[in-house]
Amino acid sequence: MIGLMGGTFNPIHFGHLRPALEVADLLGLEEVRFIPASQPPLRDQPCVSAQERAHMVELAIQSEPRFVLDQRELQRQATSYTVDTLLSLRQELGDEIPLCWMMGMDAYQNFTQWHQWQKILELTHLVVSHRPNYIAENPLLNAYHTKQQSELFDSPAGKLYFVSVTQLDISATMIRDEQKNSRSIRYLLPDAVHNYINEKKLYI
Ligand code: ATP
């Protein structure tokens, strides 16, 4: 089973990395792919280039062998629709292997506004981790919900599973704001990313 973690990663922080690690441990994932969005739908264009955001992901994951950077959305240029990403992953990985698209509660809350969300659930499971300050319901997804972890292994896609992870009240927005206001962002994200942001004078 492979985990997939999409995001803007502007920048990547411990609120992405720790839940991904905990989910990987809990589900016994061999690999978690971090997939930065080039131009995320439903959002403004990120203020830092896709290449720089991808490079920060690379710096952040270098010490965890299960974590891998997947740049397929950056190669596409156009708006990053998750459904297209998954179709491309299925071409590479085949139809049999279970895939788990990981997301926080905020993303889950809006999931049924995503382009072709039903099709997404034909291509992957959703694994939703709790995120501080977000208590979300999405009744349209009730039919997909399972409390049995084993069901994620029984089919390649189509299940919704919730996990409790360590709650880290960190967001990229908060990091960008702190940096802009000349307050330290150290210990909110890996040192290597912190150093890169300061070297390149990002988010100032
Ligand atoms: P921004 O503040 O710019 O909106 P973000 O910190 O929410 O960014 P994204 O790149 O938009 O980060 O998020 C990618 C994924 O990571 C989403 O599924 C989101 O729910 C999840 N995520 C982000 N931060 C956390 C956190 N602190 N705890 C759990 N999940 C998180």
Side-chain angles (χ1 to χ4, degrees), residues 5-16 19 43 101-108 114 129-132 134 165-176:
M5 177 91 189
T8 317
F9 302 127
N10 188 28
I12 190 164
H13 54 72
F14 287 136
H16 301 124
R43 274 178 176 249
W101 190 276
M102 303 176 184
M103 60 173 64
M105 273 289 172
D106 56 319
Y108 164 72
W114 289 21
S129 58
H130 297 278
R131 186 172 176 181
Y134 288 93
V165 295
T166 303
Q167 299 293 284
L168 294 169
D169 195 0
I170 303 172
S171 70
T173 304
M174 160 199 175
I175 290 174
R176 294 193 300 272

Side-chain angles (χ1 to χ4, degrees), residues 116-164:
Q116 293 194 23
W117 66 267
Q118 288 103 331
K119 177 82 185 157
I120 292 175
L121 275 157
E122 289 172 19
L123 296 163
T124 184
H125 300 305
L126 291 189
V127 174
V128 178
S129 58
H130 297 278
R131 186 172 176 181
N133 308 322
Y134 288 93
I135 301 164
E137 291 272 327
N138 200 336
L140 287 174
L141 295 171
N142 284 350
Y144 299 90
H145 184 209
T146 180
K147 290 184 174 170
Q148 304 301 322
Q149 192 175 307
S150 59
E151 286 195 23
L152 298 174
F153 294 85
D154 294 343
S155 58
K159 297 289 173 199
L160 166 67
Y161 187 68
F162 292 96
V163 290
S164 250

